[in-house]
């Protein structure tokens, strides 16, 4: 990449504004249920602290819509970070701008960490407001952007701020760009992509772009129904996007024209209602009964997909193969998780559900790269320019 990274700049004894994506899931009691995004930034933080930088951390959490909302406070995140740094103090500023934040940032000493309160408590963050961006920039001398997960948003803390202080990527950002970048620009072949999840409409761009790059495209999950219907199959009460049938037909034709092997489910697990305890049976993809709905891929599909993954050298996976939240319909997603892990390919996985399946099966360690980006990794795979990355300083 022709962008400057943390290794290219002098940070010793400097005040460094580190934008992270600590938008982590929490339960109702405010406990962090998955700290992956926090742990993923530790290498950047350890490096900065070892260089005696004064670290000012900023993140958003949730979508508080520009208003102060205590349930979206980053305070529990500061506590968790302190634990992950073996008890090192993480100071906490009650706001990300204003006199208190300014005072605390000014007083911060080399080797200390200060976390600012949720950036999205100010509507100006999402509006990319120049004055707000200037205030954030005023707290530090340089921006280290380690927030890959938010790099598809042109927000003040990742975009506007770079007009006032130089911006470089952190090590997590570097890692994301390296693995995702290599997969789309220079994949070792065969390159197999697995796309699942609820709707085709969410992932049209990704499917279109991947069709120009992959050798095999596997489609599962709810979105597969629209493709099955496009091939003339009856899909009963399954989730179906009738307005995307022509598009699905076009995508099938594009795959054919490009010589991409497009794999759709050949059998599905159908349910008599959308419920964890629904009656279920496995049927051929072409024989979904009128009153039933497909909620998972069947065993023959899982075996077909696993076969394609066996020889893969690069795998990209996003989205579950079925209604993974219900144990009875998580079998297909788990079978794909096992096949991706066993493939020995360079594997890149994004999307909360796919990662959760891998973690449940204790297979996450077998994956080459688990992306911390949801929407950001999808937009990257679509081939879009991400504003947070475009704004980094050129080399
Ligand atoms: N056959 C199906 N019918 C209805 N819903 C389905 C089906 N298969 C999968 N889903 C649903 O798709 C949802 C996930 O789709 P989504 O596109 O959000 O996936 P994702 O990219 O992995 O996103 P996330 O980051 O939230 O995991 C799950 O809630 C799952 O229940
Ligand atoms: O979780 C994410 O994908 C990022 O933190 C971005 O969050 P957003 O979709 O609310 O901008």
């Amino acid at each position: 990449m022709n962008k400057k990274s943390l290794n290219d700049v002098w940070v010793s004894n400097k005040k460094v504004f580190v934008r992270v994506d600590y938008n982590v899931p929490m339960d109702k009691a405010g406990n962090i249920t998955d700290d992956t995004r926090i742990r993923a930034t530790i290498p950047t933080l350890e490096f900065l602290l070892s260089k005696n930088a004064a670290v000012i951390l900023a993140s958003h959490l949730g979508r508080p819509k520009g208003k102060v909302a205590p349930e979206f406070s980053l305070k529990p995140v500061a506590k968790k970070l302190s634990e992950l740094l073996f008890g090192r103090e993480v100071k906490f500023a009650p706001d990300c701008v204003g006199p208190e934040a300014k005072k605390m940032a000014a007083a911060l000493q080399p080797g200390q960490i200060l976390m600012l309160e949720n950036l999205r408590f100010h509507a100006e963050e999402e509006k990319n407001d120049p004055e707000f961006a200037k205030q954030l920039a005023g707290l530090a001398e340089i921006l280290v952007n380690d927030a890959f997960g938010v790099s598809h948003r042109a927000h003040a803390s990742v975009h506007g701020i770079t007009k006032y202080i130089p911006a470089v990527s952190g090590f997590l950002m570097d890692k994301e760009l390296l693995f995702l970048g290599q997969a789309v620009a220079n994949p070792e072949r065969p390159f197999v992509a697995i796309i699942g999840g609820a709707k085709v409409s969410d992932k049209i761009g990704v499917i279109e772009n991947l069709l120009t790059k992959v050798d095999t495209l596997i489609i599962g999950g709810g979105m597969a129904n629209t493709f099955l219907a496009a091939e003339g199959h009856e899909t009963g009460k399954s989730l179906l996007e009738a307005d995307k049938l022509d598009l699905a037909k076009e995508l099938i034709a594009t795959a054919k024209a490009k010589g991409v092997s497009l794999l759709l489910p050949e059998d599905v697990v159908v349910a008599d209602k959308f419920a964890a305890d629904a009656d279920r049976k496995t049927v051929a993809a072409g024989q979904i009964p009128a009153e039933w709905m497909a909620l998972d891929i069947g065993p023959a599909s899982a075996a077909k997909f696993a076969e394609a993954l066996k020889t893969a050298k690069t795998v990209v996976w996003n989205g579950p193969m079925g209604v993974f939240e219900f144990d009875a319909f998580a079998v297909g997603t788990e079978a794909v998780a096992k096949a991706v892990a066993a493939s020995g390919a360079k594997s890149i996985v994004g999307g909360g559900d796919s990662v959760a399946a891998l973690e449940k099966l204790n297979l996450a360690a077998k994956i080459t790269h688990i992306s911390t980006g949801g929407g950001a990794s999808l937009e990257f795979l679509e081939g879009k320019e991400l504003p947070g990355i475009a704004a980094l300083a050129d080399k």
Side-chain angles (χ1 to χ4, degrees):
M1 209 184 48
N2 60 344
K3 296 290 185 184
K4 276 195 185 160
S5 145
L6 185 46
N7 279 319
D8 301 318
V9 286
W10 186 261
V11 288
S12 290
N13 297 306
K14 285 201 172 165
K15 290 235 158 70
V16 181
F17 188 100
V18 185
R19 177 48 159 115
V20 284
D21 181 357
Y22 287 169
N23 185 22
V24 290
M26 285 190 189
D27 63 18
K28 286 201 176 87
N31 301 304
I32 295 163
T33 51
D34 180 359
D35 62 6
T36 308
R37 280 181 164 175
I38 309 174
R39 279 188 285 109
T41 64
I42 300 288
T44 293
L45 301 184
E46 295 278 21
F47 176 83
L48 288 167
L49 295 170
S50 77
K51 298 283 177 204
N52 260 328
V55 174
I56 300 162
L57 280 170
S59 179
H60 69 285
L61 175 66
R63 293 176 174 172
K65 301 201 171 87
K67 301 236 159 48
V68 176
E71 67 273 27
F72 292 120
S73 171
L74 279 165
K75 222 170 189 166
V77 177
K79 188 165 162 264
K80 174 56 92 181
L81 176 63
S82 167
E83 281 166 31
L84 293 171
L85 292 171
F86 305 103
R88 188 187 269 270
E89 186 190 7
V90 176
K91 298 174 192 293
F92 192 76
D95 197 355
C96 60
V97 289
E100 186 68 11
K102 234 171 140 173
K103 200 168 104 196
M104 289 182 83
L108 200 68
Q109 297 302 305
Q112 293 187 331
I113 308 179
L114 169 68
M115 189 182 289
L116 307 175
E117 185 53 289
N118 196 339
L119 292 157
R120 290 191 185 171
F121 284 176
H122 294 264
E124 292 86 349
E125 161 67 358
E126 289 173 76
K127 287 187 187 142
N128 205 6
D129 179 79
E131 192 45 45
F132 179 76
K134 196 173 174 185
Q135 284 184 55
L136 294 175
L139 302 176
E141 294 157 85
I142 183 165
L143 164 73
V144 171
N145 186 348
D146 225 10
F148 175 72
V150 76
S151 48
H152 57 317
R153 310 277 186 224
H155 291 174
S157 63
V158 292
H159 190 264
I161 187 172
T162 65
K163 302 258 182 324
Y164 306 100
I165 49 173
V168 301
S169 55
F171 298 143
L172 171 60
M173 179 72 95
D174 290 344
K175 201 167 143 210
E176 294 275 7
L177 297 178
L178 179 73
F179 285 109
L180 286 162
Q182 247 176 22
V184 291
N186 193 18
E188 219 184 310
R189 293 183 183 278
F191 178 11
V192 181
I194 313 154
I195 303 294
K199 293 192 200 149
V200 187
S201 45
D202 290 339
K203 293 180 187 168
I204 298 170
V206 179
I207 295 173
E208 280 174 341
N209 196 36
L210 286 175
L211 275 177
T212 67
K213 316 214 176 270
V214 299
D215 301 293
T216 301
L217 178 64
I218 295 174
I219 302 224
M223 69 166 69
N225 300 322
T226 304
F227 283 88
L228 292 174
E231 290 204 320
H233 295 312
E234 206 28 78
T235 54
K237 291 218 154 106
S238 306
L239 181 73
L240 177 76
E241 288 168 281
D243 61 331
K244 294 288 175 289
L245 279 174
D246 286 341
L247 175 85
K249 280 182 195 157
E250 274 170 41
L251 293 170
I252 292 168
T254 306
K256 212 175 204 167
K258 291 199 179 296
V260 171
S261 151
L262 178 69
L263 302 184
L264 298 174
E266 54 188 42
D267 61 347
V268 289
V269 181
V270 291
D272 62 346
K273 57 181 181 212
F274 190 87
D277 63 349
D279 264 348
R280 61 182 197 274
K281 57 186 178 187
T282 301
V283 299
Q287 278 162 8
I288 301 175
E291 294 303 312
W292 293 60
M293 57 186 82
L295 294 189
D296 197 6
I297 58 168
S301 311
K304 178 169 82 168
F305 296 173
E307 191 58 36
L309 287 163
K310 248 187 202 159
T311 50
K313 289 276 186 292
T314 305
V315 175
V316 166
W317 177 24
N318 179 287
M321 296 291 103
V323 183
F324 165 81
E325 296 87 340
F326 302 152
D327 280 349
F329 304 101
V331 181
T333 303
E334 292 182 3
V336 164
K338 284 184 193 151
V340 172
S343 70
K346 188 176 275 181
S347 50
I348 296 140
V349 181
D353 295 324
S354 334
V355 177
L358 286 160
E359 270 163 6
K360 188 173 165 200
L361 298 166
N362 256 326
L363 293 172
K366 294 229 152 78
I367 301 304
T368 314
H369 180 65
I370 291 185
S371 179
T372 54
S377 62
L378 283 176
E379 290 201 20
F380 191 96
L381 292 174
E382 278 179 50
K384 283 190 182 158
E385 182 183 74
L386 308 185
I389 296 165
L392 296 170
D394 290 324
K395 258 193 182 155

